[in-house]
Amino acid sequence: MATFLYKLGRLAFRRRHFVALIWVALLTLAGVGAASAPPAGNSSFSIPGTEAQKAFDLLEQRFPGQSADGGTARVVFKAPSGEKMTDAGNKATVEKTVDELADGSEVASVTNPYTGDAVSKDGTIAYASVKYDVSGMELEESTKDALEDAAQQARDAGLTVEIGGDALQAVPETGATEVIGIAVAAVVLVITFGSLVAAGLPLLTALIGVGIGVSSITALASALELGSTTSILAMMIGLAVGIDYALFIVSRYRAELAEGREREEAAGRAAGTAGSAVVFAGLTVVIALVGLAVVNIPMLTKMGVAAAGTVAIAVLIALTMIPALLGYAGRRVKPAGAKGKRLGRLRKGEPKTDEPDGRPKANLGTRWASFVVRRPLAVLLLGVIGLGAAAVPATSLELGLPDDGSQPTSTTQRRAYDLLSEGFGPGFNGPLVVVVDAKGSDAPKDAFTDVEKRIKDLDGVVAVTPPSPNKGGDTATITVIPDSKPSSVQTEDLVHAIRDAGGDIEAKTGAETLVTGSTAMNIDVSQKLNDALVPYLVLVVGLAFLLLIVVFRSILVPLKAALGFLLSVMAALGAVVAVFQWGWLAGLMGVEETGPVMSMMPIFMVGVVFGLAMDYEVFLVTRMREAYVHGEKPNQAVVTGFKHGARVVTAAAVIMMAVFAGFIGSSESMVKMIGFGLAIAVFFDAFVVRMAIVPAVLALLGKKAWWLPKWLDRALPNVDVEGEGLRTAGERGAGPDERELVRT
């Protein structure tokens, strides 16, 4: 591995014009594809294997032509103070609005509040339901404008009017904080390298990689039904890992220059050593993201695969374009520690002697590692107890999916949600749709009536509409209004109660009862994600564990890495619960409505955080192993690893935190939560687990940390992440050219 990447790095350095041209051409091609691609339609949210999805599919089959997946809008009206919606003037305004809405070319139907029992008991609030022929994301702008214009005319007449539903669904905005995150990354890079040129290389390559990845996703969005959140996630992870991977290779390049090597040789060795770590770190991230497919939720699978593709691009760019750009930069990228007149001395390989006795001056990483190896047990206990305390809120984790109730109060969707809750009760925003399949029943009408009566007798039910059969008379729908809000535990209990009652009804009448609707779908998604968490964790951690055994040639080091990850991800989940569910610092984070944590958050954090956590494990511990296999004692190898890697790992973690934190400003609650969760997880993992717990455990284990059974040692392939093959080749004076790369 190291030898191949060494040759690749030297080739990219020499053939930099060709390499740069390839990547610019790919970026241009992806950009043209994105610009010419048709707009993305509504992303598919099918959940195979769930009752809610089965009922939805049955509706498509038994009620053809009703556009079950069409967009919807609820135009909610509120009368001025002291008036009622039944007053003649207000009624005339509403009916005029309904008539205008019905004239739309994409409108399938509009219900009149006064004929559809859609006026509140106190008469102050009413609503009109609009059904469209196409999904909310596929609506023409003219249709959306007509909806807003009709609402505005009613406002001008004196009514309060808000619009809910997905007809006005907008693409999530990340806001200015995303740019701030990139700016913070730039500042950290300048401080780390002390050079604008060296700092600019990781930013430039990361932006090119993200540009190719996101443009490709945009170009394929319509064909693959990719949602807008998919590209945001790919951008978030692609920026973070793209900057980090390039940072590690540039940092190693400067270290090789400081040892007196020529620039082409330094670029090759940087690609062979740090590049090897980049490859394996990238593999762990890709495994974690692609592994999301085991959940069997198409939307989540697409998000994971798209983000994994962006990570793969980041790895390839780091291995090829960074050496090419280093060739362009020439002497503007200086050796590590080089300043002014000291440059010539460092290029000759002379040591830096700032201490009075002539010894190299210890940096902060060296001093910290020396402290940890002297007090390993105290540091270990403090780190574990601290993360354990942060994880305590996770014990009260409640899961759900966001709805209009989690939108900012500045949006019309949220205000419509609040008006409906005020006029009709909180459960009105999440009605349950009960589908009765009486095809196997001898008396379908009796079965429909029986289901209606059984549901009315259940606790937590406010209203039940009469059965609405299809033309064939073998299937009917019944709408149930709970007395609790959609994301509450009480509503979930009601769904289970209806399904339990359906089992008795089927045994009695032969009619099957299914519960669907957005609320029931959210409940089924949460359950499916919970059931998939353990298998997913076993698969991803198991594969990465095997990969790390190959990298570190050790059993205990990968085991320690996996356990440390569990600590950091639990602590991060605890922080997410504290902010988004309990409301701690909610105002600072821009969280206007607390509630259940997004259902996919735990499994998503397990996947992404594990991949990112292994980045720091690979980058930091490979330096320690490199020192150990070259003859240093275990504790000294830990100190050496920190001497060379701590500064860079710290910079990488700060950059990744800044990039993720930049997405906290998103208008989409899911993106906001993911950005915060990943940022705090990187903080816990990089600064507590990898910087404190890892060296403490390695110091306690000593030589045992690097133990590997002899039979396993013989069976494992030698990937040479430490670059031992390069060291041997250098001692022989070997200098492979690009022709050897082809043969390799």
Side-chain angles (χ1 to χ4, degrees), residues 466-603:
S468 177
N470 64 345
K471 290 182 179 179
D474 58 3
T475 308
T477 59
I478 300 173
T479 301
V480 181
I481 306 299
D483 66 359
S484 52
K485 63 181 182 179
S487 59
S488 67
V489 176
Q490 292 84 352
T491 301
E492 181 177 351
D493 292 340
L494 176 60
V495 170
H496 292 312
I498 295 174
R499 287 173 173 171
D500 291 341
D504 297 336
I505 294 171
E506 184 174 10
K508 177 182 176 182
T509 66
E512 184 179 12
T513 302
L514 305 171
V515 185
T516 188
S518 60
T519 301
M521 184 71 81
N522 290 350
I523 292 170
D524 288 352
V525 169
S526 299
Q527 187 60 50
K528 192 175 182 69
L529 289 166
N530 286 338
D531 294 342
L533 181 58
V534 173
Y536 173 72
L537 189 62
V538 171
L539 173 68
V540 172
V541 176
L543 288 175
F545 180 78
L546 295 176
L547 185 65
L548 292 179
I549 289 178
V550 174
V551 174
F552 296 128
R553 307 195 77 79
S554 164
I555 298 293
L556 296 180
V557 170
L559 180 61
K560 171 264 307 169
L563 294 177
F565 150 74
L566 291 175
L567 278 174
S568 59
V569 78
M570 288 303 298
L573 274 176
V576 169
V577 170
V579 173
F580 291 89
Q581 186 175 312
W582 290 1
W584 294 4
L585 303 177
L588 181 63
M589 298 296 168
V591 180
E592 297 189 21
E593 184 74 19
T594 60
V597 172
M598 184 179 60
S599 298
M600 64 180 68
M601 196 66 187
I603 198 166

Side-chain angles (χ1 to χ4, degrees), residues 335-371:
K339 292 181 181 179
K341 296 180 180 179
R342 299 164 66 187
L343 176 58
R345 173 163 53 85
L346 286 168
R347 287 183 63 205
K348 295 177 182 177
E350 297 175 15
K352 178 181 174 182
T353 55
D354 291 332
E355 296 288 354
D357 59 0
R359 291 183 294 105
K361 185 177 181 180
N363 59 23
L364 182 60
T366 302
R367 294 195 294 272
W368 169 251
S370 299
F371 169 78

Side-chain angles (χ1 to χ4, degrees), residues 39-43 69-71 106 133-141 143-144 166-167 222 225:
N42 191 31
S43 57
D69 60 346
E106 295 179 308
D133 292 323
V134 297
S135 65
M137 293 296 289
E138 295 172 316
L139 288 174
E140 297 286 344
E141 287 300 321
T143 300
K144 296 181 180 181
D166 61 2
S222 178
E225 295 185 330

